[in-house]
Amino acid sequence: MKTPDPPTAEPCPVARALDVVGDRWSLLILRDAFDGVRRFGEFQRSLGIARNILADRLRKLVEQQVLEVLPASDGSAYEEYGLTDKGAALFRVIVGLRQWGEDHLFAQGEAHSVLVEKKSGAPVGRMELRGRNGRALQAADTVVKK
Amino acid sequence: MKTPDPPTAEPCPVARALDVVGDRWSLLILRDAFDGVRRFGEFQRSLGIARNILADRLRKLVEQQVLEVLPASDGSAYEEYGLTDKGAALFRVIVGLRQWGEDHLFAQGEAHSVLVEKKSGAPVGRMELRGRNGRALQAADTVVKK
DNA sequence: CCGTATCCATTCCGATACTG
DNA sequence: CAGTATCGGAATGGATACGG
């Protein structure tokens, strides 16, 4: 049995976020969505995910209004899955994972894909949380106030 | 049996990051670690996680050098789990989840904890990915280059 | 207090077969 | 092509009991 979920009652924003996107497949689906993937079969092939699991995750993400079902961009009879504004706002989470992975999970000189600015074609810089003075904040510079 | 893992062979930094921290409990453990939690029992009570699962996740995070086992800060005979530099760099991921949760998963006026700058006591601003011109980049402003 | 070991239920996931 | 249905194995997770 499943409760109706008034978001989730979790008081912590991190925990609540994880209730929605806190599993491996959902985040990989989001990554693909940011890369322009929109069709069921495209996700399936790109991820190598089982079809039933993919259908389940897509349904949940649509329920949570992270993705939305769109009529179809080309003439085909099928539907597509697009990011809502709420889903697009997860960009920073995906970028955070990407930059951490780049920094700490690749060997010296090992190749990986790069996020670049469309206009300039230049790689984007490090995403930072900035304080009042404009300087980057580290974890130790902050504290969670209840 | 477990292969030694040359990180994971995954070419995508996001996927590789998710191989290390891509499950709910690991990310909640990290959240707590950023909040200053260090002891086994503290994690256990804070999260309500089963002890065997917690032990498993802690072991994996230590293996991945996200956490490290420390001798003990107070006089007690036991060990503590602290963030390594690699682990501390996940700050942006946790902040990304937190800010997304705050923005999209709480009702109007619903209370939640807030991340504040220690020095000023002021809430931190929105974390942003910035382009060459210093302006915040949206997902649509970027593209992944293989 | 810290952790391991064991048991059991539930969930996750992949493979396959099936329907519009 | 897009999904649903089902099956079986693996992993997850909670509870409890046990030892350092």
Side-chain angles (χ1 to χ4, degrees), chain A residues 109-121:
Chain A
E110 191 182 0
H112 57 72
S113 58
V114 182
L115 191 65
V116 303
E117 201 171 343
K118 270 185 190 169
K119 279 193 176 175
S120 64

Side-chain angles (χ1 to χ4, degrees), chain B:
Chain B
M1 210 19 172
K2 188 82 172 20
T3 65
D5 290 335
T8 52
E10 287 275 9
C12 170
V14 178
R16 247 185 231 198
L18 290 174
D19 279 341
V20 179
V21 295
D23 78 280
R24 178 177 173 70
W25 284 131
S26 295
L27 287 166
L28 286 174
I29 288 168
L30 267 317
R31 177 204 61 178
D32 273 12
F34 281 114
D35 290 349
V37 174
R38 290 169 164 262
R39 299 283 286 258
F40 187 94
E42 250 185 309
F43 283 113
Q44 206 266 315
R45 280 189 307 280
S46 164
L47 298 173
I49 185 177
R51 306 173 74 92
N52 53 348
I53 302 295
L54 175 58
D56 175 74
R57 292 299 190 283
L58 288 174
R59 180 169 31 245
K60 285 177 180 165
L61 290 171
V62 169
E63 273 173 16
Q64 298 290 334
Q65 304 178 69
V66 170
L67 298 180
E68 62 188 336
V69 178
L70 301 171
S73 63
D74 56 355
S76 81
Y78 300 102
E79 294 165 325
E80 301 186 346
Y81 299 88
L83 290 161
T84 61
D85 288 346
K86 182 174 172 180
L90 282 163
F91 184 55
R92 295 172 188 86
V93 173
I94 303 295
V95 170
L97 288 166
R98 162 176 285 277
Q99 295 193 337
W100 184 74
E102 291 174 351
D103 289 347
H104 297 281
L105 269 22
F106 283 79
Q108 284 291 350
E110 191 182 1
H112 57 72
S113 59
V114 182
L115 191 65
V116 302
E117 203 172 341
K118 270 185 189 168
K119 280 192 176 177
S120 64
V124 302
R126 175 74 58 267
M127 181 174 61
E128 299 282 7
L129 181 68
R130 299 191 181 280
R132 293 284 157 153
N133 59 12
R135 300 260 291 281
L137 293 177
Q138 309 305 315
D141 300 322
T142 69
V143 64
V144 174
K145 209 171 76 179
K146 306 220 67 173

Side-chain angles (χ1 to χ4, degrees), chain A:
Chain A
M1 213 12 169
K2 186 85 171 20
T3 65
D5 291 333
T8 52
E10 286 276 10
C12 170
V14 178
R16 246 184 232 199
L18 290 175
D19 280 341
V20 178
V21 294
D23 77 281
R24 179 176 173 71
W25 284 131
S26 294
L27 287 166
L28 286 174
I29 288 169
L30 267 317
R31 177 204 61 178
D32 273 12
F34 281 114
D35 289 349
V37 173
R38 291 169 164 259
R39 299 283 286 255
F40 187 94
E42 249 186 310
F43 284 111
Q44 206 265 318
R45 280 188 308 279
S46 165
L47 298 173
I49 186 178
R51 307 173 73 92
N52 53 348
I53 302 296
L54 175 59
D56 176 74
R57 293 300 189 282
L58 288 174
R59 180 169 31 243
K60 284 176 179 165
L61 290 171
V62 170
E63 272 172 18
Q64 297 291 333
Q65 304 178 68
V66 170
L67 298 180
E68 61 187 338
V69 178
L70 300 171
S73 63
D74 55 355
S76 81
Y78 299 102
E79 293 166 326
E80 300 186 345
Y81 299 88
L83 290 161
T84 61
D85 288 346
K86 182 175 173 180
L90 282 163
F91 185 55
R92 295 171 189 87
V93 173
I94 303 295
V95 170
L97 288 166
R98 163 175 285 277
Q99 295 193 337
W100 183 75
E102 290 173 353
D103 289 347
H104 297 280
L105 269 19
F106 284 79
Q108 284 291 350
E110 191 182 0
H112 57 72
S113 58
V114 182
L115 191 65
V116 303
E117 201 171 343
K118 270 185 190 169
K119 279 193 176 175
S120 64
V124 302
R126 175 74 60 265
M127 181 175 60
E128 299 281 7
L129 181 68
R130 298 190 181 281
R132 291 284 158 155
N133 60 11
R135 299 261 291 282
L137 294 176
Q138 308 305 315
D141 301 322
T142 67
V143 64
V144 173
K145 210 171 74 180
K146 303 219 67 171

